Amino acid sequence: MDSTEKNQSKGFFAAMTSMFGNAMHTSVNGLLGYEGMEIINPEGGKEDAEEEAQRGRWKQEVGKNMGSLTEPLRSLYRKILYISNIYRVVSQTESRYMSHICTYLYLSSRSAQTTEDLFDFHDRDSYWKMMREYVGSDVTSMVTLPVLIFEPMTMLQKMAELMEYSHLLDQADECEDPYMQLVFASSWAISVYYAYQRTWKPFNPILGETYEMVNHNGITFISEQVSHHPPMSAGHAENEHFTYDVTSKLKTKFLGNSLDVYPVGRTRVTLKRDGVVLDLVPPPTKVNNLIFGRTWVDSPGEMVMTNLITGDKAVLYFQPCGWFGAGRYEVDGYVYNAAEEPKILMTGKWNESMSYQPCDMEGEPLAGTELKEVWRVAATPENDKFQYTYFAHKINSIDTAPRKLLASDSRLRPDRYALEKGDLSKAGAEKSSLEERQRAEKRAQEAKGHQFNPRWFDMTDEITTTPWGDLEVYQYNGKYTEHRAAVDSSHSIDADDVRSTEFNPWQYVNLSAE
């Protein structure tokens, strides 16, 4: 297979590695001596084997269709090619600066005027003066990114992916054993990590943007972007068995070749039959090899799900990935009673399946019992362009949108839709247009002394403490349930094609008139 074919549809950062692959071949494979084996550096370095390095995430069409790119992206592509040629002649001492140079290239690509602006390698003091502003910082909303590293989905839609295996919450509600309730519910919480391993970046929602879903397991789901700085989303889902409520705020820490992501959020699930309230605290996530090597995601740490009524809890440890992939994907832990005595052991892999088995006070399996599977990942499409599951395609599709879709829905974003159709140039232009419209909306609000108010969620006075900082809590106000009931009971037939609906999350519809 041609190396460009190996790079099919995989994204941006690791494409740099494929360009450097030939230069790295002798030193990397000669040093390690493991051709064909997946070599992963848990520290996020560049010691991947060549074959892994060539599994870049950048679409091969980018190199072939330069004419379809905007000028900033064409310029960026030329500079990457330029820097790859330099790599072949720099000394071993100089080569260690390559990851930093590429990061600088990437972050400054939109503002640089000439090639020389980017390649003054001798002025390292000035270079480090710029880079230290980013390293160690939260870059959640600080850097404007090119669309070719994005997937055609927003963070609001990604929140909805947690509903793929919602039948596990139905089973938890139907279960009378409080410990098995936690087995089902914690397995549900783990199931979404299969989707989270995608290394494409979802679009940041526009303030007031929404996503709604009503066609899966009887669930009504609504999410809304409730804050722009800091970026915050709120979500609510409900069916006959459970309600799900989340306030989500991410913090990030940029480390040069990796990015730490901290889920500063609050997730609550209420099981309707007995009124059981479950609180979820997920582990942090680390995105490795942003510049060198195949980009991959790990989530080392503890996931804790607590029954706020009884004090029982599930504590599951996500094993960190070691050298040669040791321990990757593995999850182990126990369901404990309120006295912190183990009752059920759980084990599995977050990208494959989870199983459980009753245990004794020492955490050892009870005699006469066996390990039983509680969840397994569903079949997925082969060679999918964005590594989507069937469910991800479903929630992203206009064809499965609910009747009279809200004009603020993520499906209607013109940049998202253009990217889905493969038009990078139009996607980039539409993304910039939306961002400028959002800035204009903010200026109009400030000039009028107005404050943005979410439509489907209300900000409460509650401040909850998380392991990564305090969080303002938003509460579902019930208005979407009323809206959806009114739509579903209406006898009028709307024959308009939803594709013709203009994306409109704005509170100021006509800025020129304001």
Side-chain angles (χ1 to χ4, degrees):
M1 179 182 293
D2 186 88
S3 61
T4 56
E5 293 182 53
K6 293 181 180 180
N7 285 335
Q8 176 101 8
S9 308
K10 299 288 186 172
F12 172 72
F13 288 107
M16 296 182 185
T17 305
S18 66
M19 295 174 188
F20 304 146
N22 291 335
M24 295 170 62
H25 175 80
T26 302
S27 60
V28 173
N29 279 346
L31 174 65
L32 297 175
Y34 289 105
E35 293 190 31
M37 179 178 289
E38 182 179 39
I39 310 296
I40 295 175
N41 176 359
E43 302 303 323
K46 60 178 182 179
E47 292 84 357
D48 289 16
E50 182 200 10
E51 183 177 350
E52 285 301 308
Q54 290 185 351
R55 294 183 188 177
R57 295 184 300 138
W58 202 5
K59 289 171 56 181
Q60 64 176 358
E61 290 87 351
V62 170
K64 296 179 180 179
N65 300 320
M66 288 287 288
S68 67
L69 299 180
T70 60
E71 177 53 35
L73 293 184
R74 289 200 299 270
S75 177
L76 176 59
Y77 181 78
R78 289 193 296 269
K79 290 164 186 173
I80 294 171
L81 293 179
Y82 180 82
I83 207 171
S84 69
N85 290 328
I86 290 175
Y87 182 84
R88 288 170 169 78
V89 297
V90 294
S91 66
Q92 184 174 359
T93 301
E94 294 292 327
S95 66
R96 62 194 178 94
Y97 290 100
M98 288 303 296
S99 65
H100 308 302
I101 292 169
C102 287
T103 305
Y104 173 52
L105 179 155
Y106 172 61
L107 295 177
S108 59
S109 62
R110 293 181 63 88
S111 59
Q113 301 300 312
T114 68
T115 303
E116 287 72 27
D117 290 339
L118 288 175
F119 295 104
D120 186 8
F121 297 142
H122 301 291
D123 191 6
R124 294 199 190 100
D125 289 340
S126 297
Y127 161 67
W128 278 112
K129 189 176 294 184
M130 167 172 279
M131 283 309 300
R132 69 188 181 197
E133 295 179 10
Y134 293 99
V135 174
S137 298
D138 184 349
V139 295
T140 306
S141 57
M142 188 165 60
V143 181
T144 299
L145 303 174
V147 294
L148 75 168
I149 69 166
F150 282 69
E151 63 177 327
M153 182 181 286
T154 71
M155 282 297 300
L156 297 176
Q157 293 172 281
K158 198 135 184 163
M159 289 169 64
E161 287 196 79
L162 194 52
M163 293 295 110
E164 178 165 7
Y165 299 96
S166 60
H167 67 275
L168 292 168
L169 293 180
D170 296 346
Q171 290 177 273
D173 182 56
E174 294 168 346
C175 179
E176 296 184 358
D177 184 333
Y179 307 128
M180 282 303 300
Q181 284 181 340
L182 284 167
V183 169
F184 287 119
S186 60
S187 297
W188 161 80
I190 287 171
S191 67
V192 76
Y193 281 83
Y194 181 86
Y196 284 177
Q197 70 180 322
R198 295 196 308 265
T199 50
W200 297 91
K201 183 190 182 305
F203 284 93
N204 289 336
I206 298 294
L207 187 63
E209 184 175 334
T210 60
Y211 176 76
E212 54 178 325
M213 177 182 70
V214 298
N215 50 8
H216 177 69
N217 280 6
I219 292 171
T220 299
F221 176 96
I222 181 69
S223 56
E224 182 176 12
Q225 189 74 357
V226 296
S227 172
H228 181 56
H229 287 299
M232 292 180 65
S233 308
H236 174 82
E238 186 169 359
N239 70 0
E240 63 179 335
H241 290 289
F242 69 87
T243 61
Y244 159 84
D245 291 280
V246 61
T247 300
S248 175
K249 179 172 74 172
L250 297 180
K251 281 188 177 180
T252 62
K253 188 174 183 180
F254 175 63
L255 300 173
N257 198 34
S258 63
L259 183 73
D260 289 342
V261 182
Y262 305 99
V264 187
R266 191 185 80 166
T267 300
R268 295 280 171 84
V269 174
T270 301
L271 304 180
K272 289 186 173 181
R273 192 188 65 168
D274 297 324
V276 170
V277 180
L278 304 175
D279 178 81
L280 174 67
V281 179
T285 293
K286 191 178 190 70
V287 184
N288 298 280
N289 292 357
L290 284 177
I291 303 298
F292 283 100
R294 179 176 57 84
T295 305
W296 57 282
V297 178
D298 201 18
S299 296
E302 283 187 346
M303 171 185 283
V304 181
M305 177 169 277
T306 305
N307 184 327
L308 298 181
I309 306 300
T310 64
D312 304 332
K313 66 176 63 176
V315 181
L316 303 174
Y317 184 68
F318 286 56
Q319 300 288 343
C321 178
W323 287 90
F324 304 100
R328 191 179 184 191
Y329 310 117
E330 293 182 6
V331 181
D332 299 286
Y334 293 92
V335 173
Y336 298 91
N337 63 15
E340 298 188 353
E341 300 167 335
K343 291 296 183 180
I344 299 177
L345 68 84
M346 296 183 66
T347 186
K349 293 185 176 183
W350 53 259
N351 70 329
E352 186 177 297
S353 66
M354 288 297 297
S355 299
Y356 70 95
Q357 188 171 2
C359 66
D360 60 23
M361 295 285 288
E362 302 301 321
E364 296 297 325
L366 287 178
T369 65
E370 59 183 15
L371 202 62
K372 293 184 178 180
E373 187 173 274
V374 64
W375 163 78
R376 175 168 291 277
V377 68
T380 58
E382 293 185 7
N383 302 317
D384 190 79
K385 183 175 182 179
F386 289 102
Q387 301 164 350
Y388 279 179
T389 64
Y390 289 109
F391 183 73
H393 281 291
K394 179 179 180 180
I395 66 175
N396 208 30
S397 173
I398 289 290
D399 296 332
T400 58
R403 187 177 175 218
K404 293 188 177 179
L405 182 69
L406 293 172
S408 51
D409 194 90
S410 294
R411 298 176 184 87
L412 301 175
R413 282 182 64 134
D415 52 355
R416 187 213 66 78
Y417 186 70
L419 180 61
E420 184 177 43
K421 297 304 180 183
D423 192 337
L424 288 173
S425 180
K426 184 176 181 180
E430 294 286 5
K431 178 175 177 288
S432 296
S433 177
L434 287 177
E435 290 168 348
E436 179 53 42
R437 180 74 183 270
Q438 183 168 230
R439 287 188 285 268
E441 170 111 342
K442 181 180 179 181
R443 290 192 296 268
Q445 286 180 340
E446 291 175 346
K448 293 290 186 180
H450 295 171
Q451 183 176 357
F452 172 80
N453 292 307
R455 185 176 179 184
W456 311 112
F457 297 85
D458 297 329
M459 187 176 181
T460 69
D461 295 329
E462 182 179 358
I463 303 293
T464 190
T465 300
T466 78
W468 304 283
D470 291 340
L471 175 74
E472 306 88 350
V473 176
Y474 283 80
Q475 178 177 303
Y476 176 61
N477 58 25
K479 293 180 180 178
Y480 179 77
T481 302
E482 298 172 4
H483 162 78
R484 183 47 53 190
V487 169
D488 292 342
S489 63
S490 173
H491 297 294
S492 63
I493 298 176
D494 188 358
D496 292 338
D497 185 353
V498 71
R499 291 176 177 82
S500 65
T501 302
E502 182 180 356
F503 177 63
N504 181 16
W506 321 109
Q507 291 198 349
Y508 290 98
V509 178
N510 187 351
L511 291 178
S512 61
E514 289 291 332

